[in-house]
Every structure is written in structure tokens, then in C-alpha cells.
Amino acid sequence: MTGFNDREKRFESEFAHNQELKFKIEARRDKLVGKWAADLLGLSGEDAEAYAKAVVRADLEEPGDDDVFRKLRADLDGASKKISDEEIRTKMAECLEAAINELK
């Protein structure tokens, strides 16, 4: 029975590690896409950093990426930036790949 318990603990530990890594990757992606959007919005320095952090916080509102997308869409629309939904989603995907590569 000890072998089974050890195996179960190993799987639980691996699952927890994978969840933590997923969280870090998504947070990094959000920061990168937030910096991209900040640049489009004409923000720099501390304002750009604060905006990127706000994008990271937006991702905590609900599961999935839609909360981040909605924030970016609303902020870009509010600044009259002509960025398509496809461009935003493409940039989010690019930033996800970059985050994965950075955290490997």
C-alpha cells in the first residue's frame, strides 16, 4: 500500500507544480500583452508598468482568456485604436509563446 500512497503523492505534487507553472506562464503572457497594449495606448514608464499589472489582475476575474481580451478590447476601443479582435488574439498567442519560452 505504501507504493500506491507514494505514487499518489507524486501525482499530486506534479499536478500542483503544473498548475503553478501554468499560472506563471499566463501571468507573464498577460504582462507582455499588457506592455504591447500600453505602447499602443501611448503609455510609458510607470504608467505602462501599471497598465500591464492591471491586465494581469484582469485575468483573475474568471477562468480563461476572455477577461483579458475584454479588457484589452475595451481599453483600445476607448482610445479609438483600430485594432481587430484577430490582432488582439494573435498578439495574446504570440505573448503566450514568448512566456513559455522565457519560463523554460
Side-chain angles (χ1 to χ4, degrees), residues 5 13 21 27 31 44 46 57 66 70-71 81 86:
N5 289 339
S13 176
L21 184 59
K31 187 170 185 180
S44 61
E46 290 181 15
R57 283 190 305 274
D66 288 339
R70 279 193 304 274
K71 174 166 183 47
K81 298 297 179 181
E86 184 179 336

Side-chain angles (χ1 to χ4, degrees), residues 17-55:
H17 171 74
N18 289 341
Q19 290 300 107
E20 181 180 348
L21 184 59
K22 181 178 183 263
F23 176 81
K24 287 179 180 179
I25 288 170
E26 289 176 353
R28 181 67 183 147
R29 183 236 14 228
D30 296 340
K31 187 170 185 180
L32 292 171
V33 79
K35 287 182 177 183
W36 167 78
D39 186 52
L40 291 175
L41 295 168
L43 302 174
S44 61
E46 290 181 15
D47 292 334
E49 197 64 33
Y51 182 79
K53 288 178 182 178
V55 173

Side-chain angles (χ1 to χ4, degrees), residues 9 18 37-38 45 65 78 96:
K9 287 185 189 295
N18 289 341
D65 299 332
L96 179 63

Side-chain angles (χ1 to χ4, degrees), residues 88-103:
I88 295 171
R89 293 204 185 273
T90 297
K91 192 62 174 181
M92 288 175 69
E94 290 171 3
C95 290
L96 179 63
E97 285 298 316
I100 289 168
N101 290 332
E102 287 179 16
L103 292 174

